[in-house]
Amino acid sequence: MDPRLHSALLVLASLLACTTATAIHGNRERSSRSTYIVRVRPPPNFSTLMSSTNLETWYRSFLPPLVSTPRSGTPFIHTYSEAILGFSVNLTKEEVEYVTNRDGVLKVYEDYLVPLLTTHTPDFLGLRPNGGVWSSAGMGEGIIIGVLDTGIDFSHKSFDDEGMKPPPSKWRGSCNFGANVKCNKKLIGGRSLYGGSYPPTDSVGHGTHTASTAAGRSVEGASVLGSGNGTASGMAPHAHIAVYQVCNRRGCYASDIIAGMDAAIADGVDILSISLGGKSMPFHEDTLAIGSFSAMRKGIFVSCSAGNSGPLPSTVQNEAPWVLTVAASTVDRQMEAIVKLGDGRSFVGESAYQPSNLDSLQLVPEFGSEEVKGKVVACDLDGSHGQLQLGQTVHAAGGAGVIVLGKEESGQNTFAAAHILPASCINAMDAAKIREYMKNSDKPTASIVFNGTSLGTTPAPVVAFFSSRGPSTQTPGILKPDIIGPGVNIIAAWPFKVGPGAAGQKNMAFNTLSGTSMSAPHLSGIAAIIKSAHPDWSPAAIKSAIMTTAYVLDNNKKPILDEKLNPAGHFSIGAGHVNPSQAINPGLIYDIDEEQYISFLCGLGYRDSQVEIITSHKGACGAGRKITEAELNYPSIAVTASTGKLVVTRTVTNVGDASSSYTVDIKMPKEVTASVSPSKLEFTKANEKKTFTVSLTWDANGTRHAEGSIRWVSDKHVVRSPIVIF
């Protein structure tokens, strides 16, 4: 989603969340009730409660008598048994106090709204039908991707099942699109988890876009208004899709997200794709972190958006180490809309709408006192309006064209939207020159020349300005985000026509969106390819394969840059840009089991009761069960500069050739002394484990920020782990 449009929706969602609520989530004015999520502890006889009737009866026992015996229907909005043990229900504050004090209740949360945070990207990532990882490892066959989002357009050609095999026998989900719609071998399940029992039809577009990015079938001749023309395909076109509608246009309630995760775990998905994210909060208060822990325990890989609050530091969302946190970058494609000023200067912008060239017309600033009819309007893109909204406003006022001027923080990024009139989105540096020209010219003029789609643009990838940055607020000793993937001007399936004359009609359309909502499903599909090739790998093993094979040089063979064209640090790119052709065969992996995550949580200082909320393990932190963030067997290392020293061990597992040898290569700035022992790892069998020690020292008073890496190098593999001292 265009980050500015996304921001506007977030503002609207926040206002609506404060003033209104749907009936299903409680009407504060009528009944003074709000929706709460109640997390409970399993009783000794829990196995006898697993039928839905017994479970609901037991859940009723936690409620006040007048609530637990309603005059009609069930008191529950949702009951949960997989993502968490508990339920969501409308309660008054007095009733919340009653429930909180019941034996067996771990925590009561007030429900909250979580924001919703391609024709060329497969080729950009090296995914080709006749070569590369698709040929060697398949296209995600036999893997089920669960998409938590706004629903799906089940009739879109991207979700045809021609050539697909039936879903695996473990699939236990349902198809609730209505009596006249049947699921197929591609789209194997769909459920709506909010607002009652409705078909999960996508009236927003976000869910259709993310689902097709992850696993849409190949569709030839896909484009946005003729731009970006090519064969659209998801990352894992042979994977199955199950859709869980947990959001609408306003956002997603936490109670519904948990319900979606609960259903997906029970149904048997392999991958969860979650393009949602709210503010940073402790893990025992973060329902998405809690639900994803349960998913990880069941072997389900979870891919999440890093957030769209960049470029400010410490804005990254979805920080739990058991999920993959995905930041966003550009690709090497540009839909050129060239702005020519009356003084002869030209600036290359972007627009997905490529009509006939717009002849030179008077250029005016946005909606001042001057009449805009028949003129080109230059509009600043601020946080309250998306560029499509600006274009629609200019069009309604009779303007002939619009130039969308990037703000300083957006740097060199431009965004190709499906406008309804001639338009161009100009980067911040060029926008400043256009503003200066209008200020100093008596009769400023501009024309727009549409130059079509160009491939191979440089530099690429570049970090998107909106992509949230680390360090993590909750776990600064875990490098977040984990990875970057394509998230700017991504073309994928859309439920409606776009551009001039759209009128909301369905047209097997495609649309271009930008956001970490777009980058996360790319990684969901890539994880599906890896899972299909290595069905016994844990979520942590898949994450390690993705991170340790990432690249850090762009298509100019220089360090990946940020939106200001400065070298991007690891708090922007994580381990680097995803490299599917290498991730399928990483050589070595860093694995992490549930026990180590629990020790990590104890080391963060969480109390036993808080760890139990996250993990369902009672008394988890006893008997010295505690490790620091740095001791988690993570594929990266992050440490605060004030410590001056770090000694930490890591364990790698050989998933390459049985007989293999790796030599360490350390790259750190000169102010950091680094060593690894042993400096060579010799393996003689598959799945053999080796442990090594990393020692780092630096001047705690003089070193403010240092970045580097350790690489294990064999004749076939390079296994890279970034190191950040901050």
Side-chain angles (χ1 to χ4, degrees):
M1 181 178 293
D2 185 308
R4 280 91 169 195
L5 177 57
H6 185 273
S7 296
L9 289 176
L10 296 193
V11 171
L12 175 61
S14 298
L15 291 172
L16 288 170
C18 292
T19 58
T20 65
T22 60
I24 193 70
H25 290 93
N27 188 311
R28 297 169 190 247
E29 292 187 7
R30 284 194 319 195
S31 64
S32 71
R33 292 179 183 271
S34 298
T35 300
Y36 292 86
I37 303 167
V38 181
R39 179 84 159 87
V40 299
R41 175 183 293 128
N45 63 335
F46 178 64
S47 60
T48 65
L49 295 172
M50 286 310 291
S51 75
S52 59
T53 302
N54 289 343
L55 195 62
E56 184 168 313
T57 300
W58 177 54
Y59 285 160
R60 284 178 184 271
S61 70
F62 294 98
L63 298 175
L66 291 178
V67 178
S68 63
T69 55
R71 287 188 292 272
S72 62
T74 174
F76 302 117
I77 297 170
H78 299 295
T79 57
Y80 313 115
S81 61
E82 298 287 347
I84 65 170
L85 200 61
F87 52 90
S88 55
V89 63
N90 287 332
L91 299 171
T92 65
K93 291 190 180 298
E94 292 76 15
E95 290 164 347
V96 168
E97 186 174 354
Y98 175 93
V99 173
T100 301
N101 292 325
R102 298 284 289 168
D103 287 342
V105 172
L106 289 171
K107 190 171 180 64
V108 180
Y109 312 80
E110 186 168 9
D111 204 3
Y112 55 92
L113 201 64
V114 177
L116 288 162
L117 271 31
T118 83
T119 57
H120 180 60
T121 49
D123 192 58
F124 181 66
L125 295 170
L127 299 172
R128 302 178 181 88
N130 299 316
V133 68
W134 271 353
S135 294
S136 62
M139 302 182 182
E141 187 173 297
I143 300 302
I144 304 168
I145 301 178
V147 180
L148 271 63
D149 216 295
T150 61
I152 197 167
D153 175 12
F154 53 81
S155 66
H156 200 285
K157 195 172 182 179
S158 292
F159 309 117
D160 286 353
D161 68 349
E162 182 180 354
M164 288 285 297
K165 293 183 179 181
S169 58
K170 69 171 185 170
W171 172 245
R172 300 179 293 273
S174 58
C175 179
N176 298 335
F177 284 102
N180 298 322
V181 178
K182 294 183 179 180
C183 286
N184 58 28
K185 289 179 285 188
K186 160 57 74 174
L187 183 54
I188 62 175
R191 297 175 60 179
S192 179
L193 283 306
Y194 83 92
S197 300
Y198 302 110
T201 305
D202 187 8
S203 62
V204 179
H206 194 273
T208 299
H209 199 279
T210 58
S212 65
T213 299
R217 299 305 310 277
S218 296
V219 180
E220 295 182 0
S223 71
V224 180
L225 303 174
S227 297
N229 187 55
T231 299
S233 174
M235 300 299 100
H238 287 181
H240 308 283
I241 297 173
V243 172
Y244 302 88
Q245 187 181 43
V246 298
C247 311
N248 59 21
R249 192 174 298 277
R250 295 190 301 161
C252 328
Y253 280 99
S255 57
D256 297 334
I257 295 172
I258 286 290
M261 299 179 79
D262 201 73
I265 295 170
D267 289 346
V269 306
D270 300 290
I271 311 289
L272 272 174
S273 187
I274 303 178
S275 291
L276 326 168
K279 65 180 182 179
S280 176
M281 62 181 73
F283 296 142
H284 66 283
E285 297 177 2
D286 184 346
T287 53
L288 204 154
I290 296 168
S292 61
F293 191 94
S294 297
M296 175 276 300
R297 179 190 291 123
K298 298 291 180 68
I300 299 170
F301 183 92
V302 184
S303 176
C304 293
S305 300
N308 293 342
S309 299
L312 294 175
S314 295
T315 52
V316 66
Q317 302 167 3
N318 295 318
E319 302 154 85
W322 48 87
V323 306
L324 183 74
T325 307
V326 187
S329 58
T330 66
V331 297
D332 63 342
R333 175 182 61 200
Q334 202 167 27
M335 303 175 200
E336 293 184 354
I338 302 170
V339 172
K340 293 188 174 182
L341 301 181
D343 64 3
R345 288 181 293 171
S346 296
F347 305 101
V348 179
E350 289 200 76
S351 174
Y353 179 41
Q354 298 263 318
S356 299
N357 295 341
L358 182 68
D359 293 335
S360 182
L361 295 170
Q362 185 177 351
L363 177 63
V364 297
E366 56 182 306
F367 307 112
S369 58
E370 297 182 76
E371 173 70 39
V372 303
K373 187 174 182 179
K375 300 173 183 177
V376 179
V377 184
C379 299
D380 286 337
L381 193 55
D382 58 31
S384 60
H385 298 89
Q387 61 168 310
L388 286 181
Q389 294 171 299
L390 291 174
Q392 290 164 354
T393 303
V394 170
H395 183 263
V402 63
I403 300 174
V404 180
L405 303 175
K407 301 285 278 187
E408 181 181 358
E409 63 267 22
S410 64
Q412 291 285 344
N413 291 168
T414 55
F415 304 95
H419 283 281
I420 62 172
L421 81 171
S424 180
C425 178
I426 296 294
N427 70 43
M429 289 69 171
D430 293 341
K433 297 173 185 176
I434 294 174
R435 292 188 191 97
E436 188 67 20
Y437 166 70
M438 288 191 293
K439 179 181 177 181
N440 295 327
S441 176
D442 292 335
K443 294 182 179 180
T445 61
S447 61
I448 304 177
V449 177
F450 297 96
N451 205 37
T453 302
S454 63
L455 300 177
T457 57
T458 61
V462 170
V463 178
F465 88 90
F466 57 78
S467 186
S468 291
R469 309 311 209 255
S472 165
T473 301
Q474 301 304 321
T475 58
I478 299 293
L479 177 60
K480 289 285 182 172
D482 292 307
I483 200 80
I484 55 170
V488 176
N489 299 332
I490 303 303
I491 296 176
W494 197 248
F496 320 107
K497 275 186 68 175
V498 296
Q505 299 174 6
K506 290 196 172 187
N507 192 41
M508 294 304 171
F510 290 82
N511 198 8
T512 174
L513 297 182
S514 298
T516 55
S517 283
M518 285 62 254
S519 54
H522 277 89
L523 272 296
S524 303
I526 291 166
I529 296 173
I530 299 171
K531 181 73 172 178
S532 180
H534 305 285
D536 59 330
W537 280 13
S538 69
I542 296 172
K543 177 196 279 194
S544 174
I546 290 170
M547 291 175 63
T548 60
T549 58
Y551 61 82
V552 293
L553 300 180
D554 63 22
N555 54 3
N556 285 330
K557 304 300 181 186
K558 295 181 179 179
I560 292 173
L561 304 176
D562 66 14
E563 71 286 346
K564 297 290 182 69
L565 299 187
N566 297 316
H570 285 296
F571 286 135
S572 298
I573 67 172
H577 193 280
V578 62
N579 186 356
S581 62
Q582 298 297 317
I584 198 71
N585 183 19
L588 304 175
I589 57 166
Y590 295 81
D591 211 351
I592 307 173
D593 60 16
E594 181 183 357
E595 292 297 311
Q596 195 175 147
Y597 284 126
I598 293 172
S599 298
F600 156 82
L601 290 169
C602 295
L604 285 179
Y606 287 122
R607 300 189 301 272
D608 274 356
S609 59
Q610 294 169 330
V611 175
E612 184 180 3
I613 290 169
I614 303 165
T615 70
S616 299
H617 285 265
K618 189 175 182 180
C621 298
R625 194 180 185 185
K626 182 184 298 186
I627 61 173
T628 65
E629 294 168 285
E631 291 174 304
L632 188 68
N633 199 42
Y634 215 68
S636 58
I637 296 173
V639 59
T640 55
S642 59
T643 61
K645 181 180 180 180
L646 179 69
V647 179
V648 67
T649 62
R650 290 287 189 269
T651 299
V652 290
T653 304
N654 178 28
V655 294
D657 294 339
S659 179
S660 54
S661 176
Y662 290 81
T663 302
V664 75
D665 176 38
I666 308 170
K667 294 185 181 297
M668 291 299 296
K670 61 183 180 180
E671 65 263 29
V672 179
T673 302
S675 64
V676 174
S677 179
S679 59
K680 193 170 186 178
L681 301 178
E682 301 277 358
F683 296 94
T684 58
K685 56 186 177 181
N687 296 315
E688 184 179 2
K689 297 181 183 295
K690 295 286 185 180
T691 297
F692 60 92
T693 300
V694 180
S695 300
L696 304 169
T697 57
W698 60 92
D699 181 358
N701 296 318
T703 301
R704 290 292 174 264
H705 191 95
E707 295 191 1
S709 67
I710 55 171
R711 305 189 311 160
W712 289 105
V713 182
S714 74
D715 55 354
K716 292 183 178 180
H717 303 284
V718 175
V719 185
R720 182 182 182 277
S721 291
I723 299 173
V724 180
I725 300 169
F726 65 100

